[in-house]
Amino acid sequence: SRDTVDQDFAAHRQRFLAEQGYAYQIIDADDVLAGE
């Protein structure tokens, strides 16, 4: 969800994972559902 505490938490988690060497990709739920 945009502009929520969850989004802020997610941003910190993504930064943490990137620092640990993990790759991640941000995709919209619409794109995921369209791929089914």
CSV table of all heavy atoms in Angstrom, one decimal:
chain,number,residue,atom,x,y,z
A,1,SER,N,0.8,-1.2,0.0
A,1,SER,CA,0.0,0.0,0.0
A,1,SER,C,0.9,1.2,0.0
A,1,SER,O,1.9,1.3,0.7
A,1,SER,CB,-0.9,0.0,1.2
A,1,SER,OG,-1.7,-1.1,1.2
A,2,ARG,N,0.5,2.2,-0.8
A,2,ARG,CA,1.3,3.4,-0.9
A,2,ARG,C,1.0,4.3,0.3
A,2,ARG,O,-0.1,4.4,0.9
A,2,ARG,CB,1.0,4.2,-2.1
A,2,ARG,CG,1.6,3.5,-3.4
A,2,ARG,CD,1.1,4.3,-4.6
A,2,ARG,NE,1.9,3.9,-5.8
A,2,ARG,CZ,1.8,2.8,-6.5
A,2,ARG,NH1,1.0,1.9,-6.0
A,2,ARG,NH2,2.5,2.6,-7.6
A,3,ASP,N,2.1,5.1,0.7
A,3,ASP,CA,1.9,6.1,1.8
A,3,ASP,C,1.4,5.5,3.1
A,3,ASP,O,0.6,6.0,3.8
A,3,ASP,CB,1.0,7.2,1.4
A,3,ASP,CG,1.6,7.9,0.1
A,3,ASP,OD1,2.8,8.1,0.0
A,3,ASP,OD2,0.8,8.3,-0.7
A,4,THR,N,2.0,4.3,3.5
A,4,THR,CA,1.6,3.7,4.7
A,4,THR,C,2.8,3.3,5.5
A,4,THR,O,4.0,3.3,5.0
A,4,THR,CB,0.8,2.4,4.5
A,4,THR,OG1,1.6,1.5,3.8
A,4,THR,CG2,-0.5,2.7,3.7
A,5,VAL,N,2.6,2.9,6.8
A,5,VAL,CA,3.7,2.4,7.6
A,5,VAL,C,4.3,1.2,6.9
A,5,VAL,O,5.5,1.0,7.0
A,5,VAL,CB,3.2,2.1,9.0
A,5,VAL,CG1,4.3,1.4,9.8
A,5,VAL,CG2,2.8,3.4,9.7
A,6,ASP,N,3.5,0.3,6.3
A,6,ASP,CA,4.0,-0.9,5.7
A,6,ASP,C,4.9,-0.5,4.6
A,6,ASP,O,6.0,-1.2,4.4
A,6,ASP,CB,2.8,-1.7,5.1
A,6,ASP,CG,2.0,-2.4,6.2
A,6,ASP,OD1,2.5,-2.6,7.3
A,6,ASP,OD2,0.8,-2.7,5.9
A,7,GLN,N,4.6,0.5,3.8
A,7,GLN,CA,5.5,0.9,2.7
A,7,GLN,C,6.9,1.4,3.3
A,7,GLN,O,7.9,1.0,2.7
A,7,GLN,CB,4.9,2.0,1.9
A,7,GLN,CG,5.7,2.4,0.7
A,7,GLN,CD,5.1,3.6,-0.1
A,7,GLN,OE1,4.4,4.4,0.5
A,7,GLN,NE2,5.5,3.7,-1.3
A,8,ASP,N,6.8,2.1,4.4
A,8,ASP,CA,8.1,2.6,5.0
A,8,ASP,C,8.9,1.4,5.5
A,8,ASP,O,10.1,1.3,5.3
A,8,ASP,CB,7.8,3.5,6.2
A,8,ASP,CG,9.0,4.2,6.7
A,8,ASP,OD1,9.8,4.7,5.9
A,8,ASP,OD2,9.2,4.2,7.9
A,9,PHE,N,8.2,0.4,6.1
A,9,PHE,CA,8.9,-0.8,6.6
A,9,PHE,C,9.5,-1.6,5.4
A,9,PHE,O,10.7,-2.0,5.5
A,9,PHE,CB,7.9,-1.7,7.3
A,9,PHE,CG,8.5,-3.0,7.7
A,9,PHE,CD1,9.3,-3.1,8.9
A,9,PHE,CD2,8.2,-4.2,7.0
A,9,PHE,CE1,9.8,-4.3,9.3
A,9,PHE,CE2,8.8,-5.4,7.4
A,9,PHE,CZ,9.6,-5.5,8.5
A,10,ALA,N,8.8,-1.7,4.3
A,10,ALA,CA,9.2,-2.4,3.1
A,10,ALA,C,10.5,-1.7,2.5
A,10,ALA,O,11.4,-2.4,2.1
A,10,ALA,CB,8.1,-2.5,2.1
A,11,ALA,N,10.5,-0.4,2.5
A,11,ALA,CA,11.6,0.3,2.0
A,11,ALA,C,12.9,0.0,2.8
A,11,ALA,O,14.0,-0.2,2.3
A,11,ALA,CB,11.4,1.8,2.0
A,12,HIS,N,12.7,0.0,4.1
A,12,HIS,CA,13.9,-0.3,5.0
A,12,HIS,C,14.3,-1.8,4.8
A,12,HIS,O,15.5,-2.1,4.8
A,12,HIS,CB,13.5,-0.1,6.5
A,12,HIS,CG,13.5,1.3,6.8
A,12,HIS,ND1,12.3,2.0,6.9
A,12,HIS,CD2,14.4,2.2,7.1
A,12,HIS,CE1,12.6,3.3,7.2
A,12,HIS,NE2,13.9,3.4,7.4
A,13,ARG,N,13.4,-2.7,4.6
A,13,ARG,CA,13.7,-4.1,4.4
A,13,ARG,C,14.4,-4.3,3.1
A,13,ARG,O,15.4,-5.0,3.0
A,13,ARG,CB,12.4,-4.9,4.5
A,13,ARG,CG,12.7,-6.4,4.3
A,13,ARG,CD,11.6,-7.3,4.8
A,13,ARG,NE,11.8,-8.7,4.6
A,13,ARG,CZ,12.7,-9.4,5.4
A,13,ARG,NH1,13.3,-8.8,6.4
A,13,ARG,NH2,12.9,-10.7,5.2
A,14,GLN,N,14.0,-3.6,2.1
A,14,GLN,CA,14.6,-3.7,0.8
A,14,GLN,C,16.1,-3.2,0.9
A,14,GLN,O,17.0,-3.8,0.3
A,14,GLN,CB,13.9,-2.9,-0.3
A,14,GLN,CG,12.5,-3.5,-0.6
A,14,GLN,CD,11.6,-2.6,-1.4
A,14,GLN,OE1,12.0,-1.5,-1.7
A,14,GLN,NE2,10.4,-3.1,-1.8
A,15,ARG,N,16.3,-2.1,1.6
A,15,ARG,CA,17.6,-1.6,1.7
A,15,ARG,C,18.5,-2.6,2.5
A,15,ARG,O,19.6,-2.8,2.1
A,15,ARG,CB,17.6,-0.2,2.5
A,15,ARG,CG,18.9,0.4,2.5
A,15,ARG,CD,18.9,1.8,3.1
A,15,ARG,NE,17.8,2.6,2.6
A,15,ARG,CZ,16.8,3.2,3.3
A,15,ARG,NH1,16.7,3.0,4.6
A,15,ARG,NH2,15.9,3.9,2.7
A,16,PHE,N,17.9,-3.2,3.5
A,16,PHE,CA,18.7,-4.2,4.3
A,16,PHE,C,19.1,-5.4,3.4
A,16,PHE,O,20.2,-5.8,3.5
A,16,PHE,CB,17.8,-4.6,5.5
A,16,PHE,CG,18.4,-5.8,6.2
A,16,PHE,CD1,19.5,-5.7,7.1
A,16,PHE,CD2,17.9,-7.1,6.0
A,16,PHE,CE1,20.0,-6.8,7.7
A,16,PHE,CE2,18.4,-8.2,6.6
A,16,PHE,CZ,19.5,-8.0,7.5
A,17,LEU,N,18.1,-5.9,2.7
A,17,LEU,CA,18.4,-7.0,1.8
A,17,LEU,C,19.4,-6.7,0.8
A,17,LEU,O,20.3,-7.5,0.5
A,17,LEU,CB,17.1,-7.5,1.2
A,17,LEU,CG,16.0,-8.2,2.1
A,17,LEU,CD1,14.8,-8.4,1.4
A,17,LEU,CD2,16.6,-9.4,2.7
A,18,ALA,N,19.3,-5.5,0.2
A,18,ALA,CA,20.3,-5.1,-0.8
A,18,ALA,C,21.7,-5.1,-0.2
A,18,ALA,O,22.7,-5.5,-0.8
A,18,ALA,CB,20.0,-3.8,-1.4
A,19,GLU,N,21.8,-4.6,1.1
A,19,GLU,CA,23.1,-4.5,1.7
A,19,GLU,C,23.6,-5.9,2.1
A,19,GLU,O,24.8,-6.1,2.1
A,19,GLU,CB,23.0,-3.7,3.0
A,19,GLU,CG,22.8,-2.2,2.8
A,19,GLU,CD,22.4,-1.4,4.0
A,19,GLU,OE1,22.2,-2.0,5.1
A,19,GLU,OE2,22.4,-0.2,3.9
A,20,GLN,N,22.7,-6.9,2.2
A,20,GLN,CA,23.1,-8.3,2.5
A,20,GLN,C,23.5,-9.0,1.2
A,20,GLN,O,23.9,-10.2,1.3
A,20,GLN,CB,22.0,-9.0,3.2
A,20,GLN,CG,21.7,-8.4,4.6
A,20,GLN,CD,22.8,-8.4,5.5
A,20,GLN,OE1,23.5,-9.4,5.7
A,20,GLN,NE2,23.1,-7.2,6.1
A,21,GLY,N,23.3,-8.3,0.1
A,21,GLY,CA,23.7,-9.0,-1.2
A,21,GLY,C,22.6,-9.6,-1.9
A,21,GLY,O,22.8,-10.3,-2.9
A,22,TYR,N,21.3,-9.4,-1.4
A,22,TYR,CA,20.2,-10.0,-2.1
A,22,TYR,C,19.7,-9.0,-3.2
A,22,TYR,O,19.8,-7.8,-3.0
A,22,TYR,CB,19.0,-10.2,-1.2
A,22,TYR,CG,19.3,-11.4,-0.2
A,22,TYR,CD1,19.8,-11.1,1.1
A,22,TYR,CD2,19.0,-12.7,-0.6
A,22,TYR,CE1,20.0,-12.2,2.0
A,22,TYR,CE2,19.2,-13.8,0.3
A,22,TYR,CZ,19.7,-13.5,1.6
A,22,TYR,OH,20.0,-14.5,2.4
A,23,ALA,N,19.2,-9.6,-4.3
A,23,ALA,CA,18.6,-8.8,-5.3
A,23,ALA,C,17.1,-8.8,-5.2
A,23,ALA,O,16.5,-9.8,-4.7
A,23,ALA,CB,19.0,-9.3,-6.7
A,24,TYR,N,16.5,-7.7,-5.5
A,24,TYR,CA,15.0,-7.7,-5.4
A,24,TYR,C,14.5,-6.9,-6.5
A,24,TYR,O,15.2,-6.0,-7.1
A,24,TYR,CB,14.5,-7.2,-4.1
A,24,TYR,CG,14.9,-5.8,-3.8
A,24,TYR,CD1,14.1,-4.7,-4.2
A,24,TYR,CD2,16.0,-5.5,-3.1
A,24,TYR,CE1,14.4,-3.4,-3.9
A,24,TYR,CE2,16.4,-4.2,-2.8
A,24,TYR,CZ,15.6,-3.2,-3.2
A,24,TYR,OH,15.9,-1.9,-2.9
A,25,GLN,N,13.2,-7.1,-6.9
A,25,GLN,CA,12.6,-6.3,-8.0
A,25,GLN,C,11.2,-5.9,-7.5
A,25,GLN,O,10.5,-6.7,-6.9
A,25,GLN,CB,12.5,-7.2,-9.2
A,25,GLN,CG,11.9,-6.5,-10.4
A,25,GLN,CD,11.8,-7.4,-11.6
A,25,GLN,OE1,12.1,-8.6,-11.5
A,25,GLN,NE2,11.5,-6.9,-12.8
A,26,ILE,N,10.9,-4.6,-7.7
A,26,ILE,CA,9.6,-4.1,-7.3
A,26,ILE,C,8.7,-4.3,-8.5
A,26,ILE,O,9.0,-3.8,-9.6
A,26,ILE,CB,9.7,-2.7,-6.9
A,26,ILE,CG1,10.6,-2.5,-5.7
A,26,ILE,CG2,8.3,-2.1,-6.6
A,26,ILE,CD1,10.9,-1.1,-5.3
A,27,ILE,N,7.6,-5.0,-8.3
A,27,ILE,CA,6.6,-5.2,-9.4
A,27,ILE,C,5.2,-4.8,-8.8
A,27,ILE,O,5.0,-5.0,-7.6
A,27,ILE,CB,6.6,-6.6,-9.9
A,27,ILE,CG1,6.4,-7.6,-8.8
A,27,ILE,CG2,7.9,-6.9,-10.7
A,27,ILE,CD1,6.3,-9.0,-9.3
A,28,ASP,N,4.3,-4.4,-9.7
A,28,ASP,CA,3.0,-4.1,-9.2
A,28,ASP,C,2.2,-5.3,-9.2
A,28,ASP,O,2.4,-6.3,-9.9
A,28,ASP,CB,2.3,-3.1,-10.2
A,28,ASP,CG,2.8,-1.7,-10.1
A,28,ASP,OD1,3.3,-1.3,-9.0
A,28,ASP,OD2,2.7,-0.9,-11.1
A,29,ALA,N,1.2,-5.3,-8.3
A,29,ALA,CA,0.3,-6.5,-8.1
A,29,ALA,C,-0.4,-6.8,-9.5
A,29,ALA,O,-0.7,-7.9,-9.8
A,29,ALA,CB,-0.7,-6.3,-7.0
A,30,ASP,N,-0.8,-5.7,-10.2
A,30,ASP,CA,-1.5,-5.8,-11.4
A,30,ASP,C,-0.6,-6.7,-12.4
A,30,ASP,O,-1.1,-7.5,-13.2
A,30,ASP,CB,-1.8,-4.5,-12.1
A,30,ASP,CG,-2.8,-3.7,-11.3
A,30,ASP,OD1,-3.6,-4.4,-10.5
A,30,ASP,OD2,-2.9,-2.5,-11.4
A,31,ASP,N,0.7,-6.4,-12.4
A,31,ASP,CA,1.6,-7.1,-13.3
A,31,ASP,C,1.6,-8.6,-12.9
A,31,ASP,O,1.7,-9.5,-13.8
A,31,ASP,CB,3.0,-6.6,-13.3
A,31,ASP,CG,3.1,-5.1,-13.8
A,31,ASP,OD1,2.1,-4.8,-14.6
A,31,ASP,OD2,4.0,-4.4,-13.5
A,32,VAL,N,1.6,-8.9,-11.6
A,32,VAL,CA,1.7,-10.3,-11.2
A,32,VAL,C,0.4,-11.0,-11.6
A,32,VAL,O,0.4,-12.1,-12.1
A,32,VAL,CB,1.8,-10.3,-9.6
A,32,VAL,CG1,1.7,-11.8,-9.1
A,32,VAL,CG2,3.2,-9.7,-9.2
A,33,LEU,N,-0.7,-10.4,-11.4
A,33,LEU,CA,-2.0,-11.0,-11.7
A,33,LEU,C,-2.2,-11.2,-13.2
A,33,LEU,O,-2.8,-12.1,-13.6
A,33,LEU,CB,-3.2,-10.1,-11.1
A,33,LEU,CG,-3.2,-10.0,-9.6
A,33,LEU,CD1,-4.3,-9.1,-9.2
A,33,LEU,CD2,-3.4,-11.4,-9.0
A,34,ALA,N,-1.6,-10.2,-14.0
A,34,ALA,CA,-1.7,-10.3,-15.4
A,34,ALA,C,-0.9,-11.5,-16.0
A,34,ALA,O,-1.2,-12.0,-17.0
A,34,ALA,CB,-1.3,-9.0,-16.1
A,35,GLY,N,0.1,-11.9,-15.2
A,35,GLY,CA,1.0,-12.9,-15.7
A,35,GLY,C,0.4,-14.3,-15.4
A,35,GLY,O,1.0,-15.3,-15.9
A,36,GLU,N,-0.6,-14.4,-14.7
A,36,GLU,CA,-1.2,-15.8,-14.4
A,36,GLU,C,-2.0,-16.3,-15.6
A,36,GLU,O,-2.6,-15.6,-16.4
A,36,GLU,CB,-2.2,-15.7,-13.2
A,36,GLU,CG,-1.4,-15.5,-11.9
A,36,GLU,CD,-2.3,-15.5,-10.7
A,36,GLU,OE1,-3.5,-15.5,-10.9
A,36,GLU,OE2,-1.8,-15.6,-9.6
